[in-house]
Amino acid sequence: MARAVSYKAGYIASLGKDNIPSELKGNEGLVYSSPATLAYNSPGAEGFGVKRAGLAVPESVMLIVAPGCCGRNTRYVTKNPEYNVRFFYLMMDETDLVTSRHLKKIPEAVKEIVEFCKVRPKAVMICITCVDALLGTDMKRVCSKCEELLEGVRVAPCYMYALTREGRRPPMVDVRQQIYSLLTPSIRKGNAINLLGFFAPVDPDCEMFELLKSVGFDDIRQIGTCKTYDEFLKMSQANLNLVLNNEANPAAEDMYNNLKIPYAGLTRVYGIDQVAKQYKALGQILGVEIEDSVFYEETEDKIRAFMVKFKGRKVNIGECINANPFELALTLTRYGMKVGEIYATLSPEHFVYVKKLAELSPDTMLLCNLDPSMINYSASEYAPDLTLGKDAAYYCPDVPNIPWNSDVQPYGYKGIVKLINAIEEALS
Amino acid sequence: MKGLRKVLTPFAPDQSGAVGVLYDSAALIVIIDAGGCTGNICGFDEPRWQDTAAGIFSAGLRDMDAILGRDELLVKKIVKAHEAGEYKFSALVGTPVPAVIATDYNALTYMIERKTGKPCVAVPSNGMRLYDKGASDAYVRLVEKFAKDERPFDENTVGIFGALPLDMGRSSRDKVFEYYKNQGYGNVRMYGCGASLEDVMDASSNSLNVAVSSSGIDVVKKLCGKFGTEYKIEDPAVFDLVIPEGRTLVVHDEVAGYSIRNNTESDVTVATFFTLHDELKQEGDLILTEEDEFTKLVMNGGFDNLVCDATYLPLIPDYKGRVMILPHYAVSSAGDDS
């Protein structure tokens, strides 16, 4: 009987990052569709895809210019009251594909929806899809035409080009660039800082806010907390952009070029020493010492107690999660848990974690959600006590699961503490 | 403006209808897209997908695949996927991407059949038509490919076409099944929803075929032409709907509307955003395409009763007549546990 293809971490580490088997890469074969892959195949289904991301701009609406199929899943998003009057559709037909006549209709359509809205939007995001990627549509030019018709309304494109998912500017990178391109230069404030990378807010309990305030940044902005468009525009006053997700790096680079705002990057990790190192590095960039010892010690105590109580408990980890699944697997192994299986797409940049994981837990199995052989996956051979990640729940339905994929983003020491709390609760 | 939707979200597209028909057929279903269409079809238009694994795959196209037309690479992927599972045939389902690059489905089908040694069926859907068209095409392609042998009619067997989850909820499908059981058919083949590939191959033995929704009409006519099988067009799931007196507007699938009309004394007008076949159309019946057409029809038509999916109601907040909700999953993505 056919089986799901899996590899031991120790074996993969021995192959090296340039020889990752195709079954783990997810981009060399057909892409299997199961509920575990929904977030990949339909990014807006879980968390933020291009559509929700575009509407992160406060007081904006979105016009989706596409074949009907591209707008279909918006039916679910619009069940959320926050979105139910913010999506509009200009449906393309076969003639549009041949003649591109739909482009001429867009300015009038934008005008009509702006007039239709009970509250006049400040921005209209125009979402276009794979067909316009292939047609080579110059949507920037169309947006300019729209702005000529509408005083005081900004119009920007959002490219939902699934075809370019693994290209130089994937859709989720590009949409961040488009959003922040709406900012215009303003007088910068020394105490202002932006957190870039997420569309929903960083967990307000995260120590980062306190630490940033302690070194003089008491005006902290992130798009997920901006209530109004004017508040969003004040992000151009920042003296520093702190990039918390690599997908925002090109947007930060654009803001550096256009608004002269420098940027620095932090990475979300669950290893306590790695969190400490990042704060230290940030302090060095700022020329100050960030005093995080209280948070470090509190977290360290938590980890110690966790290791005593839950050492040897077994966990399987998915990739639909607010974490890098390989870093999380390594960290939980270091915290005493046994990681049986990781369901995630492996790329060379993850290899640093896989190598270290292989030293501590060479028998941890790696599988890829997207591989066609996953249709044969029946049950985990590792009888986990717990699964982490929404997709992992699909594979082990009878085991307690922590989705850990909320819109609000866990981060830093508090992220570690809250994850441990969640695991303790699930295992108790 | 024509084509502009301000209230309604787009309805289920043809590619979803095609997958709905193929879902239970043990096929390796390849949606020729970059991934997003597959997510939409499975995650939002195919309620069975949450409970039952099926061999549905995205071709995982990338821009250079589309630009360069790398059909051979796609064939290789399909061959490899066949090696990883047990499938009786391959089924290709089109999306806007192959529509733009003018994919040659005949050539692709031929290449896949040669390399896999198994049959291949292609449904050239394009994401711009609606689900009933995709489902109808998929039914026709399946019977063209597999229902070849002419077998004697089995008076005990009836074939039901058009009872997909997109057409009707589970309780309606159960009603349809029970209705024909009660009519004396021991073997009720629900094509696209429980019937197997072997049932398709044996379709010529059906003594009666029934189109219970628009998506089944073309295929029952096709089977009639090919094997002489008698057919009916009716939706028993709405037979027991009690329509009050007065003028009634049904905005739904054409067969549901037609069946309501035939089972009531009320004066019924049928309007649909989907297909309306000439043989069912009566004076006053019409196809809708725009939101404001629906609003004008309901508000100015003088109807006492309106039968439709609840999704349409925000378009007519001032309608004072009686409203009877008849769910249509292809419109609302919600029904009775589809």
Side-chain angles (χ1 to χ4, degrees):
Chain A
M1 186 184 160
R3 291 166 59 93
V5 174
S6 61
Y7 291 96
K8 288 184 176 180
Y11 173 69
I12 296 299
S14 72
L15 293 178
K17 68 176 179 183
D18 297 328
N19 295 303
I20 297 172
S22 63
E23 292 91 344
L24 296 183
K25 289 182 182 172
N27 62 359
E28 293 188 354
L30 295 182
V31 177
Y32 178 48
S33 174
S34 77
T37 66
L38 186 57
Y40 174 84
N41 278 327
S42 185
E46 313 281 349
F48 283 82
V50 169
K51 292 173 192 164
R52 275 188 80 196
L55 288 180
V57 176
E59 299 183 77
S60 66
V61 297
M62 177 171 281
L63 176 65
I64 299 172
V65 181
C69 62
C70 306
R72 174 67 175 155
N73 67 357
T74 317
R75 174 86 197 138
Y76 269 78
V77 182
T78 52
K79 286 180 179 172
N80 180 339
E82 187 187 343
Y83 296 104
N84 73 359
V85 289
R86 297 179 70 191
F87 281 109
F88 301 89
Y89 312 88
L90 185 58
M91 312 239 289
M92 290 173 69
D93 59 24
E94 285 102 329
T95 308
D96 295 326
L97 285 193
V98 178
T99 64
S100 290
R101 67 177 179 181
H102 62 293
L103 301 179
K104 289 184 180 162
K105 292 160 73 178
I106 292 173
E108 272 307 312
V110 170
K111 188 164 181 278
E112 191 170 329
I113 63 174
V114 166
E115 287 164 359
F116 174 82
C117 291
K118 285 180 182 160
V119 178
R120 188 178 169 87
K122 297 281 175 60
V124 178
M125 313 303 285
I126 299 180
C127 177
I128 54 175
T129 62
C130 295
V131 290
D132 275 293
L134 293 171
L135 295 173
T137 299
D138 181 355
M139 189 47 68
K140 278 273 185 197
R141 187 182 156 93
V142 177
C143 290
S144 300
K145 283 270 181 201
C146 296
E147 288 184 338
E148 286 169 15
L149 281 180
L150 296 159
E151 201 181 327
V153 178
R154 294 295 310 275
V155 183
C158 293
Y159 302 105
M160 197 166 70
Y161 290 173
L163 284 169
T164 63
R165 188 167 352 214
E166 283 134 19
R168 201 169 51 82
R169 281 174 63 177
M172 294 313 295
V173 168
D174 196 89
V175 73
R176 288 170 166 93
Q177 291 180 277
Q178 300 302 336
I179 287 170
Y180 293 110
S181 75
L182 293 168
L183 300 177
T184 50
S186 61
I187 296 170
R188 304 229 317 264
K189 290 167 64 179
N191 66 339
I193 189 169
N194 295 328
L195 306 183
L196 301 187
F198 302 124
F199 301 102
V202 172
D203 181 359
D205 293 339
C206 177
E207 73 286 341
M208 185 191 300
F209 298 100
E210 194 174 328
L211 295 176
L212 289 173
K213 282 179 183 167
S214 73
V215 296
F217 288 114
D218 50 17
D219 192 355
I220 303 168
R221 286 207 167 79
Q222 43 184 336
I223 194 165
T225 57
C226 290
K227 298 278 184 251
T228 65
Y229 188 73
D230 289 342
E231 198 181 331
F232 163 69
L233 290 181
K234 287 180 182 167
M235 290 185 84
S236 64
Q237 297 173 351
N239 208 25
L240 180 70
N241 280 326
L242 204 51
V243 180
L244 305 180
N245 180 329
N246 285 342
E247 289 185 322
N249 277 331
E253 182 68 22
D254 289 350
M255 290 168 80
Y256 176 67
N257 291 329
N258 301 329
L259 307 172
K260 308 301 174 205
I261 303 174
Y263 65 97
L266 297 180
T267 304
R268 174 169 41 209
V269 286
Y270 288 86
I272 182 170
D273 291 329
Q274 284 64 40
V275 173
K277 275 183 194 165
Q278 297 215 34
Y279 282 130
K280 191 171 182 189
L282 178 62
Q284 285 170 348
I285 290 167
L286 297 174
V288 296
E289 187 169 337
I290 294 179
E291 178 46 58
D292 63 343
S293 58
V294 174
F295 300 107
Y296 183 92
E297 286 161 16
E298 181 194 344
T299 308
E300 193 177 38
D301 290 346
K302 186 84 190 170
I303 294 168
R304 276 205 196 101
F306 175 79
M307 290 176 74
V308 169
K309 198 169 174 186
F310 295 102
K311 187 173 169 45
R313 301 299 287 272
K314 291 183 277 187
V315 62
N316 288 359
I317 300 173
E319 63 185 339
C320 185
I321 189 167
N322 287 328
N324 175 323
F326 299 100
E327 191 276 333
L328 185 60
L330 172 62
T331 296
L332 292 179
T333 303
R334 284 174 170 161
Y335 292 171
M337 296 190 83
K338 284 190 184 302
V339 178
E341 294 177 339
I342 304 172
Y343 317 104
T345 309
L346 181 60
S347 56
E349 61 264 30
H350 297 141
F351 218 78
V352 60
Y353 300 119
V354 174
K355 269 179 76 177
K356 289 176 182 168
L357 178 66
E359 290 168 12
L360 300 174
S361 178
D363 292 338
T364 294
M365 301 303 292
L366 309 187
L367 304 98
C368 178
N369 286 321
L370 311 179
D371 187 63
S373 72
M374 289 300 276
I375 194 170
N376 303 311
Y377 188 99
S378 54
S380 175
E381 294 174 4
Y382 292 86
D385 301 307
L386 173 74
T387 56
L388 285 168
K390 191 171 179 185
D391 46 348
Y394 170 72
Y395 297 113
C396 311
D398 301 325
V399 174
N401 171 259
I402 303 171
W404 203 248
N405 67 339
S406 64
D407 280 354
V408 173
Q409 297 295 315
Y411 217 88
Y413 296 119
K414 278 287 184 222
I416 300 172
V417 170
K418 286 195 172 185
L419 178 61
I420 288 177
N421 285 342
I423 294 174
E424 285 178 348
E425 191 181 336
L427 290 179
S428 300
Chain B
M1 173 184 282
K2 192 171 182 298
L4 183 63
R5 291 270 181 97
K6 290 182 280 195
V7 176
L8 301 176
T9 45
F11 304 145
D14 53 359
Q15 55 208 37
S16 295
V19 170
V21 168
L22 296 163
Y23 197 86
D24 281 340
S25 61
L28 184 146
I29 302 169
V30 183
I31 298 162
I32 306 180
D33 75 329
C37 293
T38 302
N40 281 353
I41 292 166
C42 295
F44 306 97
D45 283 339
E46 184 45 78
R48 291 171 288 186
W49 179 77
Q50 291 289 347
D51 304 319
T52 321
I56 302 181
F57 301 87
S58 163
L61 296 179
R62 293 298 169 257
D63 46 2
M64 294 312 287
D65 298 330
I67 291 163
L68 299 174
R70 294 168 171 163
D71 286 349
E72 286 182 359
L73 178 62
L74 178 58
V75 174
K76 270 188 191 169
K77 291 179 179 181
I78 290 171
V79 170
K80 194 165 180 206
H82 267 287
E83 289 165 3
E86 291 171 15
Y87 307 100
K88 292 178 179 169
F89 69 105
S90 311
L92 308 179
V93 176
T95 72
V97 171
V100 173
I101 64 175
T103 293
D104 181 347
Y105 287 102
N106 287 337
L108 201 50
T109 300
Y110 177 72
M111 288 163 71
I112 292 166
E113 288 186 337
R114 275 193 59 200
K115 293 286 183 185
T116 63
K118 292 180 178 177
C120 181
V121 172
V123 184
S125 43
N126 64 18
M128 283 164 276
R129 304 182 199 123
L130 294 172
Y131 88 97
D132 56 326
K133 171 68 177 150
S136 175
D137 284 354
Y139 275 133
V140 169
R141 302 247 167 180
L142 270 183
V143 301
E144 280 176 347
K145 190 78 180 180
F146 295 109
K148 288 185 174 164
D149 299 338
E150 192 158 355
R151 295 167 187 175
F153 289 134
D154 174 0
E155 295 303 325
N156 194 38
T157 300
V158 62
I160 308 300
F161 293 85
L164 303 175
L166 283 165
D167 293 304
M168 56 184 75
R170 180 172 289 161
S171 66
S172 294
R173 295 202 298 276
D174 290 346
K175 269 189 202 173
V176 169
F177 184 84
E178 288 304 321
Y179 178 83
Y180 292 104
K181 278 274 179 192
N182 293 336
Q183 295 285 307
Y185 294 99
N187 187 16
V188 182
R189 290 170 167 166
M190 304 279 279
Y191 288 99
C193 200
S196 65
L197 182 63
E198 288 69 29
D199 290 331
V200 177
M201 291 173 170
D202 194 37
S204 61
S205 71
N206 299 341
S207 61
L208 173 70
N209 288 318
V210 185
V212 295
S213 76
S214 180
S215 58
I217 294 177
D218 291 348
V219 71
V220 298
K221 286 160 65 177
K222 176 104 194 165
L223 287 167
C224 178
K226 197 169 180 182
F227 303 118
T229 316
E230 186 189 337
Y231 70 86
K232 283 184 180 176
I233 299 173
E234 62 183 12
D235 176 9
V238 298
F239 283 176
D240 57 0
L241 205 62
V242 179
I243 306 291
E245 285 185 0
R247 295 190 63 223
T248 299
L249 174 65
V250 180
V251 181
H252 210 278
D253 174 87
E254 59 177 324
V255 179
Y258 171 78
S259 300
I260 290 170
R261 173 154 51 211
N262 288 349
N263 285 277
T264 180
E265 298 297 313
S266 176
D267 173 14
V268 174
T269 299
V270 177
T272 182
F273 282 91
F274 302 92
T275 306
L276 184 54
H277 285 80
D278 285 342
E279 59 261 51
L280 300 192
K281 190 174 175 184
Q282 292 192 5
E283 192 179 343
D285 292 351
L286 70 164
I287 291 176
L288 303 166
T289 53
E290 308 297 331
E291 290 176 344
D292 56 359
E293 288 174 0
F294 171 84
T295 305
K296 280 179 194 162
L297 176 66
V298 175
M299 298 310 294
N300 304 331
F303 297 104
D304 304 295
N305 311 305
L306 170 64
V307 181
C308 67
D309 188 282
T311 304
Y312 298 114
L313 300 184
L315 290 169
I316 46 166
D318 299 325
Y319 175 65
K320 304 289 187 224
R322 190 180 289 105
V323 176
M324 303 173 73
I325 300 301
L326 185 60
H328 196 177
Y329 195 92
V331 173
S332 59
S333 298
D336 55 337
D337 299 319
S338 287

